[in-house]
């Protein structure tokens, strides 16, 4: 695919994401010769920086490019830094747009970026609409002299209603085809590999339905707490922060029907159908029985005292925001009727891991009863991170007399593909957007469908009568009663065990 000459304008350029993720991703593209010949980055934010200070901050003195500065010679690094420019936008992101427009057009002419502008909004979501409006007022959404695209970060909305408002707001100034909603999980190789595993093989898809699958389990665990983001997180919580976006995107890829082709719209149409088929839980009894929320409380990890969630900086002392969320739900369609899905996500778990486990049904007729093990299901474990790969567990005969069955593993690890450069999520996603490929970006209707499923759970957790908030010691696999969701039909698989 061709990457046309272009300019990337980053709003929120003095923020953490720019230095930590975006600039290193662009550096990787530079290193891999994936940038177009004419390419500049214009950082925009409220800080008073200037081109040189910006280059120092995000490249020449950035802790996130330390390794690269050792690996490559100074000229090579400087050549990269010289592609970066900076414009300060005053204190409220609401003035100085004329000046910004002028800077963009000067840079465009000087560096030959062909009128193609990508606006990356790495700002609080409350600024998305005002920025879009201001860009539009300056004619910067007009595609008559080059393409104009806008990338927005999550969280995309706070609820179904606010997501709709946000979509309507953005659609006032930009067409859907110009808007790229980033979900960095879609940039992960292993998440994309869900599509390939399912639709490039003939051995899994025939089994991928209610006739053979007993249940599906997804675990997303992080060992860190809320770090320095207490203020943001306390207004968000695990369900909004991870489940509504990243995890429901994974669910959509597991649940969707085969798309007609790998075309962006075909894939997104099928994902939308999948998200719409999640059975919305509306009554309190169902919500009570199928959802669990909890907060981590202080404990000792490896002899070190670790703060509880309510003691974290920026968090309300009486906070009822969850740091653990587990939901059991069903998918109301022909393929998945009656197959339970169990999804959990949490901070301060024993380790950082994300995996999907497809639990197959036991054989209908047991002939090797005595060993017991054949009564357990076959599992396909898709490890999203770390140790990215796939593991299939199945029964084999133990050598010797009789028919004893033991569990064997067949596995594939991405790390065995040592020759290949595995792109980081942001690198892949940025390059896709630069090429106009929206396959790995969430469409407006998808995001709204995900919120439509999550909204009743949030409402129940916020206003329900009998809703409980459990506690779990920082560093364990969530509250003790989390297995109750399975009602005796299994339990969570804790990946390190
Ligand atoms: C972000 C969440 O979207 O994803 C964070 O806001 C979370 O709270 C992060 O830590 C996890 O991403 P990853 O790629 O480290 O699994």
């Amino acid at each position: 695919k061709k990457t046309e000459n272009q300019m990337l304008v980053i709003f929120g350029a003095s923020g953490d994401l720019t230095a930590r993720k975006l600039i290193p991703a662009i550096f990787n593209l530079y290193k891999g010769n994936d940038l177009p010949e004419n390419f500049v980055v214009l950082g925009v934010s409220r800080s008073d920086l200037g081109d040189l200070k910006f280059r120092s901050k995000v490249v020449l003195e950035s802790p996130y490019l330390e390794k690269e500065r050792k690996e490559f010679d100074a000229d090579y690094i400087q050549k990269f830094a010289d592609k970066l420019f900076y414009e300060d936008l005053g204190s409220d992101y609401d003035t100085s747009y004329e000046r910004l427009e002028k800077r963009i057009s000067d840079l465009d002419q000087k560096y030959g970026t062909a009128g193609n502008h990508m606006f990356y909004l790495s700002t609080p979501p409350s600024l998305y609409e005002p920025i879009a409006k201001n860009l539009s007022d300056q004619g910067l959404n007009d595609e008559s002299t080059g393409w104009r695209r806008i990338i927005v970060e999550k969280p995309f909305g706070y609820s179904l209603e606010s997501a709709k408002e946000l979509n309507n707001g953005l659609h006032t100034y930009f067409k859907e085809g110009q808007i790229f909603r980033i979900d960095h999980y879609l940039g992960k190789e292993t998440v994309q590999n869900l599509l390939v595993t399912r639709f490039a093989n003939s051995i899994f898809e025939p089994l991928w339905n209610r006739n053979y699958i007993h249940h599906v389990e997804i675990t997303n665990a992080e060992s860190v707490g809320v770090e320095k983001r207490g203020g943001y997180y306390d207004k968000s919580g695990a369900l909004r922060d991870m489940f509504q976006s990243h995890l429901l995107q994974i669910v959509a890829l597991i649940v969707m029907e085969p798309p007609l082709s790998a075309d962006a719209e075909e894939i997104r149409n099928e994902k939308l159908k999948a998200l719409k088929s999640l059975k919305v839980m509306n009554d309190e009894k169902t919500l009570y029985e199928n959802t669990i929320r909890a907060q981590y409380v202080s404990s000792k990890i490896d002899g070190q005292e670790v703060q509880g969630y309510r003691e974290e900086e920026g968090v309300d002392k009486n906070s009822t925001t969850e740091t653990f969320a587990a939901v059991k739900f069903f998918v109301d369609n022909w393929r998945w009727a009656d197959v339970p899905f169990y999804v959990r996500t949490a901070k301060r778990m024993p380790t950082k891991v994300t995996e999907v486990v497809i639990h197959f049904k036991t054989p209908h007729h047991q002939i090797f009863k005595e060993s017991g093990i054949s009564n357990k299901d076959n599992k396909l474990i898709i490890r999203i991170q770390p140790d990215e790969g796939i593991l299939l567990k199945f029964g084999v005969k133990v050598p010797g007399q009789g028919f004893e069955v033991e569990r064997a593993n067949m596995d594939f690890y991405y790390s065995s593909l040592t020759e290949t450069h595995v792109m980081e999520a942001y690198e892949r996603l940025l390059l896709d957007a630069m090429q106009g490929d929206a396959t790995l970006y969430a469409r407006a209707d998808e995001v709204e469908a995900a919120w439509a499923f999550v909204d009743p759970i949030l409402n129940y957790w916020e206003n329900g009568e009998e809703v409980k908030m459990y506690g779990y010691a920082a560093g364990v696999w969530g509250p003790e009663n989390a297995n109750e969701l399975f009602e005796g039909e299994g339990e969570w698989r804790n990946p390190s065990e």
Side-chain angles (χ1 to χ4, degrees), residues 61-204:
E61 286 165 24
S62 162
Y64 304 107
L65 286 176
E66 218 173 293
K67 203 171 95 269
E68 287 75 3
R69 285 198 305 272
K70 288 200 185 105
E71 199 181 326
F72 296 96
D73 65 52
D75 282 357
Y76 187 75
I77 301 277
Q78 187 63 50
K79 241 179 95 191
F80 174 72
D82 289 346
K83 294 179 183 296
L84 272 51
F85 300 87
Y86 184 84
E87 185 72 27
D88 112 48
L89 201 57
S91 60
D92 56 1
Y93 276 100
D94 211 20
T95 48
S96 336
Y97 276 81
E98 268 169 45
R99 182 158 48 83
L100 178 65
E101 196 279 328
K102 171 131 194 354
R103 185 81 200 272
I104 290 175
S105 94
D106 287 352
L107 287 170
D108 186 52
Q109 280 180 9
K110 186 154 179 215
Y111 294 96
T113 50
N116 297 324
H117 307 329
M118 172 96 74
F119 301 102
Y120 196 117
L121 273 44
S122 170
T123 64
S126 57
L127 295 176
Y128 295 168
E129 201 184 325
I131 292 176
K133 177 180 185 305
N134 279 302
L135 292 175
S136 149
D137 287 349
Q138 298 299 325
L140 286 166
N141 57 347
D142 178 351
E143 297 199 288
S144 52
T145 56
W147 52 253
R148 304 291 155 87
R149 297 177 192 142
I150 182 163
I151 302 184
V152 292
E153 269 290 333
K154 69 162 269 267
F156 196 85
Y158 184 76
S159 60
L160 177 58
E161 200 190 333
S162 58
K164 279 186 176 164
E165 274 170 21
L166 194 48
N167 276 329
N168 289 340
L170 289 179
H171 286 153
T172 314
Y173 311 107
F174 286 84
K175 295 192 288 282
E176 177 63 19
Q178 293 175 281
I179 305 170
F180 290 68
R181 293 174 197 76
I182 218 161
D183 184 308
H184 79 279
Y185 268 56
L186 290 175
K188 294 185 193 269
E189 284 292 335
T190 36
V191 172
Q192 294 157 34
N193 192 43
L194 282 167
L195 283 174
V196 175
T197 303
R198 288 192 57 197
F199 304 128
N201 294 301
S202 58
I203 55 174
F204 297 118

Side-chain angles (χ1 to χ4, degrees), residues 154 184-185 188 222 229 241-242 246 347 352 385:
K154 69 162 269 267
H184 79 279
Y185 268 56
K188 294 185 193 269
E222 290 185 275
R229 300 158 73 224
D241 185 51
M242 291 294 307
H246 310 320
K347 301 267 183 202
K352 178 172 172 76
Q385 61 186 23

